[in-house]
Amino acid sequence: MALDAVFRDQWGRVLATLVGVLGDIELAEEAVAEAFAVAAERWPHDGEPANPTGWLVTTARHRAVDQLRRRQVLAAKTKLLARDIETGPQPPEPLMDDTVSIPDERLELVFTCCHPALALEAQVALTLRTLGGLSTDEIALAFLVPFETMSKRLTRAKHKIRDAGIPFTVPPDHQLPDRLAAVLSVVYLIFNQGWGGGRVDLAAEAIHLGRPLADLMPDEPEVLALLALMLLHDARKAARLRDGELVPLDGQDRSLWDTRQIDEGRALLRRAMTQRRTGPYLLQAAIADLHLYQPRDWRQIAALYERLARRTRSAIVEMNRAIAVAEIDGPEAGLTVLDRLDLDHYRYFHSTRAELLRRAGRDGEAHRAYRRALDLAQTEPEQRFLAERLAETARYDRTEHDTTGR
Amino acid sequence: MQYAFLAYTPPEETDRATRPIPGALADLFDQPDVTGWARLHAHESATTLRNDEGRMLLTDGPFIDSKEYLAGLILIEADNLDRALAIAEGMLQETRPGTAIEVRPVLAGHFRGA
């Protein structure tokens, strides 16, 4: 494996272990960064160690001791840590053999980072930094905020965890459902940001975060379902754009779909379904799966959206149900559902409405809805797509104005 | 760790001083986790002294002007924030609707027995 890939892969794992030892994310981060720097220097000529995780953890622990000694602070902690290292099963030089197993504490770390006592935007940034291994620069870029802002946000979150005593632990059973939902919503939020087409592939990052969660919580159907959902959506990435233009699902070149990812997503979905507990991600993953079949089973899709809407009370889910209803009972039926929703601020509401209006032959109204959607559109491909539709419906708009003016 | 709970409550009709602490809440204050508490008079009783660039300004009323007022301080000992929040939640359940508890880690302090 290329060194970069090893590092990306190991960062969260090694950092989690160090946070467990040091009880402080900031200190742990510095020590792990130093260990990675040492590895980057040595591995190319010494070769990659048999147990890279063990090597990195040991090196980071030594660096942490050095750091603490240098700083002459936290004297008690240094003693504790030094004793721990002396009595622990570590060889003097970080040349660990692969029999040493290091407990995986990434779950503890993710529950710390997604603790509800932190602001949501801080949870997101911190999760990407600690578990995802993204640099502050990359995170700032992904969320289109200045580096300084992101850096401050991360520092403030790390300090709050330390000062307020946010525990480094997997929550007990009675708290787990709520806290797990918070973790999953952070991951899904990262995934959805990824669809905006920013310079950092956040969708891939979210999948990268979802994998260890699914490994570490194999009995939580919602964890498996979220990963399935993301994989099934992301599998169509290459087909979603053609020459910079958005391609609707039915027009997509299916040979561009990532079948390996679809298979993996479907296998996860099946595993999640065997647990017999239905949650919002399971419903969404099942819907995402149904959308991949040709022809689409719109009745089943509509039925699942209905269940999801009842559960989440989300107007956006209702909007999606309207699309399915339009496929079954015609555009006017879909519009009836849409017109009950309060989604004026939502760009896809207007493009969806415009599309159904156009299909219903109400082109003047469609034209105005496309204009509203274009006003709200955020990415270039979206803007181009909508501008085209706007031009297509322009003549009807004029006709309608004429008729109403007459 | 030590945490301070700052309890804010909405204004009330009856005289606070004549009402006892509800029994269930008083029991919670007797838990060993609770290392100290102070119930405060309503904010009409507050006087604020402010350091205005060296000049001491005295005003009538609380510093924070809000509908809710600071009704009490509770000091507790807990392993971590989750435990502190659980204790706060237990207390909050015994309070009037609209009450809020702000949980703050204590940086340093000295508490003499009351």
Side-chain angles (χ1 to χ4, degrees), chain A residues 2 9 14 16 27-28 47 96 115 146 154 178-179 196 203 216 237 240 245 252 290 303 306 323 326 334 341 361:
Chain A
D9 216 43
V14 175
L27 275 179
M96 314 257 313
H115 196 283
L154 283 165
D178 281 352
R179 298 285 311 279
L216 294 166
K237 188 167 55 185
R240 281 181 83 239
E245 307 267 332
Q252 289 179 7
L290 285 172
E306 197 178 345
I323 297 170
L341 305 175

Side-chain angles (χ1 to χ4, degrees), chain A residues 10-55:
Chain A
Q10 294 287 338
W11 172 267
R13 183 76 207 288
V14 175
L15 181 66
T17 305
L18 263 289
V19 176
V21 173
L22 296 167
D24 186 287
I25 296 181
E26 233 173 5
L27 275 179
E29 225 178 64
E30 280 173 41
V32 175
E34 282 188 39
F36 276 52
V38 176
E41 206 177 285
R42 289 199 199 156
W43 292 6
H45 46 90
D46 293 357
E48 189 181 312
N51 179 359
T53 314
W55 192 99

Side-chain angles (χ1 to χ4, degrees), chain A residues 102-137:
Chain A
I102 289 162
D104 193 333
E105 292 179 286
R106 279 178 293 182
L107 274 187
E108 283 83 348
L109 186 55
V110 80
F111 279 111
T112 306
C113 293
C114 298
H115 196 283
L118 299 169
L120 183 62
E121 56 181 20
Q123 296 177 30
V124 167
L126 201 57
T127 303
L128 281 170
R129 173 77 194 108
T130 58
L131 271 304
L134 260 63
S135 68
T136 306
D137 251 335

Side-chain angles (χ1 to χ4, degrees), chain A residues 232 236 254 257 262 266 288-294:
Chain A
L232 292 172
R236 295 191 286 105
R254 290 166 164 258
W257 289 4
I262 291 174
R266 284 185 171 150
D289 179 42
L290 285 172
H291 275 304
L292 300 178
Y293 290 96
Q294 194 70 278

Side-chain angles (χ1 to χ4, degrees), chain A residues 115 117 163-167 175 179, chain B residues 1 3 79-82 85-86 105:
Chain A
H115 196 283
D163 298 339
I166 291 179
Q175 282 182 340
R179 298 285 311 279
Chain B
M1 286 179 70
Y3 292 88
D79 285 346
N80 56 48
L81 184 64
D82 279 352
L85 291 171

